[in-house]
Amino acid sequence: MAYQQQPFYSPQIPFTGSIQGGLRDGKSITVNGRVLPGANRFHVNLQSGSRPDANIALHFNPRYDSSSGYIVINTKQNNCWGTEERIHQALFPMGSPFNLQILVKHHSYKISVNGIHVTDYKHHIPFNMVDTIAVDGMVAVNTISFQDAEVPSAAAQASYSVPYKTTINGGLWPNKNISIQGVVNHQASRFVINLRHRNGIAFHYNPRFDENLVVRNTQTMEQWGSEERSGEMPFHKGQTFQVIISCNPQHYNVFVNGKQTHTYNHRFTNLWEIDVLEVSGDLSLTGVNV
């Protein structure tokens, strides 16, 4: 089973991070964030190393020095910039969230914004020389996540029996992340992720394919609270997924495949007492990191 690099969470900008194993055909990088109000520009670079004079294979640079905004894409080799390519579309409104995906293919980078393909940028530097991502400018980033092309079959991946239960040593605390990877069954109806304490369930996360939504709730002394049912359904039958539950001082942030999908305010606030993870239902588990 190929190693899957863990995401970078809420990195401080400017940010430079290693792409473990470098780029390869079929690998994708997803940057989920928000353009700051009053932004003039920001950029995402795929480059060779972290030195100031590093070669930049892909410079993706939204700018706001015109009324509607536009995007510059370029390459820098030996401290010399190439010929700019420009996209005259306002794809990153100031103050708005975005989801930028860069998919590495043999001839080009395929670039999508908020799920919509925007452009193909041909390689000017061999992509196998790229090992670093850098983000700078007037932007806040939630996650930078990575997905490799070759995903082993569910049968080859599955190494955890379901229902699954494990101890969270030391309980939860702010900035604690829990990672769950798996494959949704082809005929799935529902599955459940629970964060439990001695007297109940602090966070119940319940994708329901029969209703096409995700229910969130809390159970105390066998009594359920009011359900939260708003938001998207980010899971698909028969497909792999990675769920990250990120514990914050006031709430949980839930990321699915690198994209923030749900927020749930703490109803049970003694975080250190939340010491059990349970996963059950119509899925195969391939990885758990608590």
Side-chain angles (χ1 to χ4, degrees):
M1 177 173 151
Y3 174 76
Q4 185 70 49
Q5 179 175 352
Q6 291 296 302
F8 297 110
Y9 299 101
S10 303
Q12 184 175 353
I13 306 299
F15 171 78
T16 302
S18 175
I19 303 171
Q20 296 174 14
L23 296 187
R24 62 181 64 87
D25 192 358
K27 186 166 189 167
S28 66
I29 298 173
T30 301
V31 181
N32 178 267
R34 180 175 65 91
V35 183
L36 297 181
N40 59 351
R41 61 178 62 186
F42 72 92
H43 68 249
V44 176
N45 288 345
L46 300 183
Q47 58 193 52
S48 301
S50 58
R51 292 164 50 100
D53 61 350
N55 287 339
I56 300 173
L58 173 65
H59 174 70
F60 186 85
N61 179 207
R63 299 181 182 180
Y64 302 88
D65 50 10
S66 69
S67 58
S68 60
Y70 60 99
I71 300 166
V72 168
I73 307 178
N74 208 341
T75 294
K76 187 176 79 168
Q77 298 186 71
N78 302 319
N79 282 322
C80 294
W81 287 102
T83 302
E84 291 183 350
E85 296 184 15
R86 294 196 172 198
I87 301 171
H88 291 280
Q89 293 177 276
L91 300 174
F92 296 87
M94 285 186 279
S96 296
F98 66 84
N99 203 63
L100 167 66
Q101 183 185 62
I102 303 168
L103 173 62
V104 183
K105 300 303 291 182
H106 183 67
H107 295 292
S108 64
Y109 297 105
K110 302 181 79 68
I111 300 173
S112 300
V113 178
N114 299 329
I116 300 171
H117 178 72
V118 174
T119 190
D120 291 350
Y121 183 72
K122 291 183 179 179
H123 297 300
H124 300 273
I125 293 174
F127 62 77
N128 58 13
M129 297 178 64
V130 174
D131 58 8
T132 302
I133 182 168
V135 183
D136 199 359
M138 297 190 68
V139 65
V141 173
N142 296 320
T143 59
I144 302 173
S145 57
F146 307 86
Q147 182 70 48
D148 285 306
E150 295 182 4
V151 178
S153 67
Q157 279 191 324
S159 57
Y160 299 79
S161 60
V162 176
Y164 174 82
K165 184 175 181 178
T166 191
T167 299
I168 306 169
N169 291 324
L172 297 186
W173 60 87
N175 298 320
K176 168 75 172 177
N177 295 316
I178 293 175
S179 172
I180 301 160
Q181 293 172 279
V183 184
V184 180
N185 293 353
H186 286 279
Q187 303 300 323
S189 174
R190 302 181 177 190
F191 68 87
V192 172
I193 299 170
N194 287 332
L195 299 179
R196 299 191 67 108
H197 55 93
R198 182 172 56 185
N199 296 315
I201 301 171
F203 183 35
H204 171 76
Y205 189 76
N206 178 206
R208 300 181 180 180
F209 297 92
D210 51 349
E211 299 182 51
N212 196 37
L213 52 79
V214 180
V215 169
R216 289 87 68 198
N217 208 340
T218 295
Q219 185 193 68
T220 304
M221 303 299 288
E222 299 187 357
Q223 297 294 315
W224 287 106
S226 58
E227 292 183 345
E228 295 184 14
R229 302 166 66 92
S230 61
E232 65 179 289
M233 174 54 151
F235 302 94
H236 302 279
K237 295 180 183 181
Q239 293 193 12
T240 61
F241 67 84
Q242 180 187 53
V243 173
I244 304 291
I245 301 175
S246 181
C247 184
N248 288 265
Q250 306 299 325
H251 59 266
Y252 302 101
N253 284 331
V254 182
F255 300 88
V256 179
N257 299 330
K259 180 181 179 183
Q260 184 173 343
T261 55
H262 300 99
T263 298
Y264 186 79
N265 290 334
H266 294 305
R267 301 184 191 178
F268 181 84
T269 55
N270 293 346
L271 301 179
W272 60 92
E273 295 182 15
I274 303 169
D275 57 0
V276 172
L277 168 69
E278 294 178 333
V279 184
S280 62
D282 301 328
L283 79 166
S284 299
L285 271 185
T286 61
V288 176
N289 186 354
V290 297

